[in-house]
Amino acid sequence: MYPLHREREQPIFSTRAHVFQIDPATKRNWIPASKHAVTVSFFYDANRHAYRIISVGGTKAIINSTVSANMTFTKTSQKFGQWADSRANTVYGLGFATEQQLHQFAERFKEVKEAARLAREKSQDKMELSAAALSIAAPQFSQDLSDELQSPPVMCVNGPEDKLFRSQSADITLSSEKERIKKMLSEGSICEMNLESELFTLQDSNAKLVAALHEANANVEQWKKQLVAYQEETDRLRDQVADLEAHGGQGPSDMLKDELTQSLEELENLLRAKDEEIRILQSKKSNFHELEREREEAIHRLQELEMRNVELERRVQNSEQTLASALEDRERAENEVQRVVQILDVKIFDLNDLRQSLVKLISK
C-alpha cells in the first residue's frame, strides 16, 4: 500500500551552470546538454530520505541524479567539475561562471553525500531488523506453502469460479486506475519542478536587477553632480569664448578660441553620453517591474499546482480504500472456494466408496 500522504521534494540549494554529458560512444568527449546556463538544484525527498540533483531545460529533465555515498564530485579546472552516476550510466559535467560558484557546489555536494551515507546506514539497520523478523516467520510460511501445494486441484464449479473471475477483473481495473493516477501525480511533480526552477530563475534575475538598481541609484547622484560641474565648466568656457570674441584678438587668441571650442564639444559629447546612460537605467527599472509581475504569476501557478496535487492525493487515497475493500472481497471469495473444494473432496470420497461397494455387490 502506498502512503496516504506524500510530501513533495524540497529544494535545498540552487545555482546556475552549463550542463554537459559524456559521449557514450567515445567516453572522452563532452556533449552539451543545454544551450545556455540553466538552474541546477539539490532536492531532498523526505519520504525516501534521498537527495537528488535535478536540472530542467524547458519540459525536459537534463539532470536527474540520485546522490549516493559512493559518488565523488571532481574539480577538473577552475570553473568545471564532474561526477559519475552509475544508475544513469553516464558522467555529468558542470561549467560555472565563477570559481566561487564551483566551490559552493562542491561543498554542498560533499554535505549531501555525507547525509546520504547516514540515511543509508539507518536504512540498513532497519533492513537487518526486518530480516530478523522474517527469519522468525519463515518456518510458518513454508508450512503454509507446502499445505497449499499438497491441496487437491480446484474443480470447475460455476458459482465460486464466477466470484473469482469478478474479483480478478475488479483487481485489474483498480490496478489500472492506480497506475493512471500515479502517472498523473508524476506529471504534476514534473510541472511543479518546472515551476520551481522557473521561480528560482526569476528570483536570481530579481536579485541581480535589485543589485544593479542599487548600484545605479548610487551612481546617478554622482553623475548628477558631475553633470552640474560639467555644465558650470561649459558655461565658464562659453563666457571666456564670448569675452575673447568681444575683444576681437588675433594670433594666440585664435588658438585659445579653438582649444576652448574643442573642449566645449568634448563636454557636450560627455553630457549626451551620460544622458543615454540615465535613459538605459530607467528602462532597466521598467524591466524590473515586469520581472516582478512574472514572478508573482509563477507563484500563483505553483499554488494552483499544489492544490491540484492535494486533489490527486485524495483520489489516490480513495483508490487505495477501494482496492483494500476489493482485496477483502477477493479473500472472502477464495475462502468460499476453498470451503466448496473441501466439500467436493468429501463428496468424491463418498462416491468412490459407493462405487467400490457397488462393484463388490455386482461381482457377488
Side-chain angles (χ1 to χ4, degrees):
M1 302 293 290
Y2 294 99
L4 299 181
H5 180 71
R6 181 182 59 83
E7 298 179 359
R8 65 185 185 89
E9 291 180 326
Q10 299 291 334
I12 57 177
F13 177 77
S14 295
T15 185
R16 293 184 66 81
H18 291 271
V19 180
F20 300 85
Q21 287 189 11
I22 200 69
D23 189 354
T26 62
K27 298 294 183 181
R28 293 182 180 180
N29 301 325
W30 289 105
I31 300 176
S34 62
K35 296 181 180 179
H36 51 78
V38 295
T39 302
V40 181
S41 305
F42 284 89
F43 282 82
Y44 173 65
D45 189 347
N47 286 333
R48 298 191 307 159
H49 301 289
Y51 295 87
R52 291 198 298 166
I53 303 175
I54 297 176
S55 179
V56 178
T59 59
K60 179 182 178 183
I62 302 174
I63 300 177
N64 187 1
S65 177
T66 302
V67 180
S68 60
N70 57 355
M71 284 186 178
T72 302
F73 183 80
T74 305
K75 299 179 183 178
T76 57
S77 66
Q78 293 182 351
K79 298 180 182 179
F80 192 89
Q82 67 183 43
W83 78 95
D85 190 343
S86 58
R87 295 183 180 178
N89 193 21
T90 187
V91 179
Y92 294 104
L94 297 180
F96 297 89
T98 62
E99 186 176 356
Q100 182 181 3
Q101 291 180 351
L102 173 61
H103 179 72
Q104 291 176 352
F105 186 91
E107 291 297 320
R108 188 53 60 97
F109 192 99
K110 188 183 299 181
E111 295 173 1
V112 169
K113 174 183 174 182
E114 181 65 20
R117 184 185 65 80
L118 295 176
R120 180 181 178 183
E121 291 178 355
K122 291 181 181 179
S123 177
Q124 288 178 350
D125 293 339
K126 292 180 180 179
M127 289 177 64
E128 291 175 358
L129 293 175
S130 300
L134 288 174
S135 64
I136 295 174
Q140 182 64 31
F141 177 77
S142 300
Q143 181 66 29
D144 295 340
L145 183 60
S146 62
D147 294 339
E148 183 177 355
L149 291 174
Q150 293 174 2
S151 62
V154 178
M155 298 184 65
C156 294
V157 182
N158 292 332
E161 184 179 2
D162 291 340
K163 289 182 181 180
L164 271 179
F165 179 76
R166 288 196 297 270
S167 176
Q168 292 175 354
S169 300
D171 193 5
I172 294 172
T173 304
L174 289 173
S175 299
S176 62
E177 179 67 18
K178 182 186 288 186
E179 291 297 329
R180 187 176 66 83
I181 294 176
K182 284 171 63 180
K183 183 178 180 181
M184 293 171 63
L185 283 173
S186 176
E187 293 175 354
S189 299
I190 292 175
C191 293
E192 184 177 354
M193 194 185 306
N194 290 335
L195 286 176
E196 287 179 351
S197 299
E198 184 179 354
L199 181 60
F200 290 144
T201 304
L202 289 174
Q203 288 177 348
D204 189 16
S205 301
N206 186 14
K208 291 180 180 179
L209 283 175
V210 169
L213 281 175
H214 286 316
E215 184 180 359
N217 290 330
N219 292 331
V220 163
E221 295 297 329
Q222 182 180 359
W223 290 341
K224 286 181 179 179
K225 293 178 182 179
Q226 291 180 357
L227 284 173
V228 172
Y230 292 151
Q231 288 175 353
E232 292 177 352
E233 181 69 17
T234 301
D235 294 337
R236 187 180 63 81
L237 292 174
R238 284 176 179 173
D239 293 338
Q240 289 182 2
V241 171
D243 292 338
L244 291 172
E245 289 178 351
H247 288 88
Q250 300 293 331
S253 299
D254 293 336
M255 295 176 61
L256 181 59
K257 180 180 178 180
D258 294 337
E259 292 177 359
L260 292 174
T261 303
Q262 184 178 0
S263 299
L264 182 61
E265 291 177 354
E266 292 176 355
L267 288 173
E268 289 177 350
N269 292 332
L270 185 58
L271 284 173
R272 283 194 292 269
K274 294 298 182 182
D275 290 336
E276 182 67 20
E277 290 180 1
I278 291 175
R279 186 184 63 79
I280 292 173
L281 288 174
Q282 289 176 350
S283 65
K284 286 185 177 179
K285 187 174 182 181
S286 62
N287 292 333
F288 169 74
H289 293 301
E290 184 177 354
L291 285 175
E292 279 287 336
R293 181 178 57 80
E294 292 179 358
R295 185 176 68 87
E296 292 176 356
E297 291 178 356
I299 293 174
H300 180 67
R301 284 186 291 173
L302 185 61
Q303 292 174 351
E304 291 179 351
L305 189 59
E306 289 177 351
M307 294 175 63
R308 180 183 175 188
N309 283 340
V310 171
E311 177 65 20
L312 290 175
E313 289 173 0
R314 185 183 63 79
R315 292 177 62 183
V316 169
Q317 183 177 358
N318 293 335
S319 298
E320 289 175 350
Q321 293 176 355
T322 306
L323 180 60
S325 62
L327 290 175
E328 291 178 358
D329 294 339
R330 179 180 177 180
E331 185 177 359
R332 286 195 296 269
E334 289 178 351
N335 293 333
E336 181 69 17
V337 169
Q338 188 68 25
R339 186 180 65 83
V340 171
V341 168
Q342 292 176 357
I343 294 173
L344 287 175
D345 288 340
V346 173
K347 296 295 183 182
I348 290 171
F349 182 77
D350 293 339
L351 287 173
N352 286 330
D353 289 342
L354 179 61
R355 184 178 64 83
Q356 292 176 1
S357 299
L358 289 173
V359 169
K360 291 179 180 179
L361 288 173
I362 291 171
S363 63
K364 291 180 180 180

